[in-house]
Each structure stands twice: as C-alpha cells, then as structure tokens.
Amino acid sequence: MFAVIKTGGKQYTVRAGDVLRVELIDAVAGDKVQFNEILMVGGEKVTVGAPMVAGAAVQADVIDNIKGEKTIHFVKRRRKHSSQRTKGHRQKWTLVRVSEIMASGADKSGVKAAIGTADARRAAHETK
C-alpha cells in the first residue's frame, strides 16, 4: 500500500517503513504524528482525492529534528565599490518514519496532526 502526502509545500510518495526528511514540523523526537493532507491512496484499489482523500491519513514516528547542509550565497558588487557580502542558510528538517497508512477512519485515531512550526505559532497566537 502506498500514499501520496503533501507537507511543507512538497508531495511525497510513501510506504510503511519509509524514512522521510520533511520540512520542520511542530514535534520532538519520539512523538507520533499524523499527516492528514493525502492526495492519493493506492494498493489493490487506487483512490484519488479531489483535492484530498476524505478520511485518509498517514501516521509516522518522529526520529529527530536536524539541520541541513549550509548553503553559501556570495554577492560581489561592481568594481570600485569594494562591496562583498556572504549570506548563509541552513534549512531545518524533521526525520520521520512512516508507520501506518490509513485509507479511512483517520479522524478517530486521536494522533496529533503534523503541522509546520509557522502554522503552530500562528494557531497559538490566534488562541490567545
């Protein structure tokens, strides 16, 4: 059985047991999270969502929160101005191991939804 999930603006094809590196989600190592934005579920019967499959979910265990490779952006401006600048960036990732793909009954599972940290901050700010 496989599923196509959407998280962090990207789409991933997953199977049970796969280890994924997704954009940072609001969870710590050892937590169990559930991805609710499922675009397609396949197996013996393929179900394609319009745009999402109702009631489907993918549950995963959080392995760790990590930082990616550092990317260097070097900017050198025109001559006679002696202006140079170096900018660096390290993307934050969450490693998850897919444990279960549910074609239906996701709303009754009671597992915390996997949301990004920006969405979590926004939701916490709106509840105050």
Side-chain angles (χ1 to χ4, degrees):
M1 186 171 208
F2 74 94
V4 178
I5 66 171
K6 179 181 171 189
T7 180
K10 297 170 187 65
Q11 297 174 7
Y12 301 92
T13 302
V14 298
R15 299 182 191 283
D18 286 354
V19 176
L20 293 176
R21 184 183 73 170
V22 298
E23 293 215 14
L24 188 66
I25 57 177
D26 188 30
V28 295
D31 285 356
K32 190 171 188 104
V33 294
Q34 179 171 297
F35 296 97
N36 294 320
E37 292 185 352
I38 309 301
L39 303 172
M40 183 163 98
V41 176
E44 294 177 10
K45 180 183 172 193
V46 176
T47 306
V48 178
M52 305 293 171
V53 178
V58 172
Q59 292 183 355
D61 300 315
V62 176
I63 298 171
D64 197 9
N65 290 325
I66 60 171
K67 285 185 179 180
E69 296 270 329
K70 183 160 189 168
T71 57
I72 305 289
H73 178 203
F74 182 74
V75 178
K76 181 175 168 97
R77 293 184 183 85
R78 293 193 53 168
R79 63 188 186 279
K80 294 187 180 178
H81 298 288
S82 66
S83 176
Q84 298 177 357
R85 182 176 181 182
T86 303
K87 294 194 259 182
H89 174 73
R90 290 185 75 178
Q91 184 66 38
K92 295 181 180 178
W93 301 102
T94 300
L95 291 176
V96 295
R97 177 174 286 117
V98 177
S99 59
E100 184 180 359
I101 297 173
M102 302 168 56
S104 62
D107 51 348
K108 300 173 189 165
S109 67
V111 178
K112 179 174 106 170
I115 58 172
T117 53
D119 296 331
R121 275 184 269 136
R122 199 172 302 117
H125 180 70
E126 291 171 358
T127 58
K128 288 182 182 178

